[in-house]
């Protein structure tokens, strides 16, 4: 299927199934976001957790919450002030019924970085 045009690659940190680890690609993206935020102290980023539809809702909420914490702490470690980071509770991605493959589900497991004016 077509990728959601609203999903901008650089603004999404993707996670492996059952993992809360940020991979190398994710780390590079976070570095770029950290630089942007440090250079623009008035900017705020909102972290939005997205999850796939595998497993129980409670499990998905818990692991997504953990991923949000990981991304937050990485941004903080890169020097971003806490006041520039907001976190938004996750929403389950409603996949289409024909979304049964890992390739289809993987992009759902992500933390999105959204800038608000």
């Amino acid at each position: 299927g077509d990728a959601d045009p609203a999903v901008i690659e650089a603004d999404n940190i993707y996670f492996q199934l059952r993992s809360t680890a940020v991979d190398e690609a994710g780390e590079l993206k976070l570095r770029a976001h950290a630089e942007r935020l440090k250079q623009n102290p008035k900017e705020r980023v909102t972290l939005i957790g997205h999850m796939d539809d595998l497993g129980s809702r409670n499990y998905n909420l818990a692991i997504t919450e953990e991923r949000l914490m990981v991304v937050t702490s990485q941004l903080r470690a890169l020097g971003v002030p806490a006041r520039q980071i907001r976190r938004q509770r996750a929403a389950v991605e409603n996949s289409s019924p024909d979304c049964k493959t890992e390739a289809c589900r993987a992009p759902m497991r992500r933390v999105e970085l959204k800038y608000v004016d």
Side-chain angles (χ1 to χ4, degrees):
D2 293 330
D4 183 343
V7 176
I8 300 162
E9 205 55 36
D11 294 349
N12 286 277
I13 309 301
Y14 298 99
F15 293 87
Q16 296 298 313
L17 190 60
R18 289 189 280 282
S19 169
T20 58
V22 174
D23 62 13
E24 213 174 312
E27 280 178 27
L28 287 171
K29 292 179 197 177
L30 288 177
R31 282 212 176 95
H33 283 284
E35 284 312 310
R36 171 178 174 173
L37 287 159
K38 287 189 288 187
Q39 284 166 19
N40 303 284
K42 286 193 166 70
E43 261 195 321
R44 304 259 189 282
V45 70
T46 299
L47 305 179
I48 306 164
H50 297 268
M51 58 188 108
D52 64 24
D53 55 357
L54 291 173
S56 76
R57 188 175 156 71
N58 283 349
Y59 171 80
N60 282 328
L61 283 170
I63 196 165
T64 303
E65 204 48 46
E66 231 173 287
R67 288 168 179 160
L68 283 166
M69 276 169 23
V70 167
V71 171
T72 301
S73 59
Q74 289 213 1
L75 286 171
R76 298 281 293 115
L78 290 164
V80 179
R83 63 179 170 73
Q84 282 182 272
I85 305 170
R86 303 257 188 283
R87 282 173 39 193
Q88 193 169 307
R89 174 48 73 71
V92 179
E93 298 265 324
N94 291 322
S95 60
S96 59
D98 54 353
C99 181
K100 296 279 178 257
T101 65
E102 175 56 13
C104 178
R105 283 193 177 109
M108 299 178 188
R109 293 189 298 272
R110 68 185 197 274
V111 169
E112 182 184 353
L113 293 92
K114 226 187 188 109
Y115 290 88
V116 281
D117 303 321

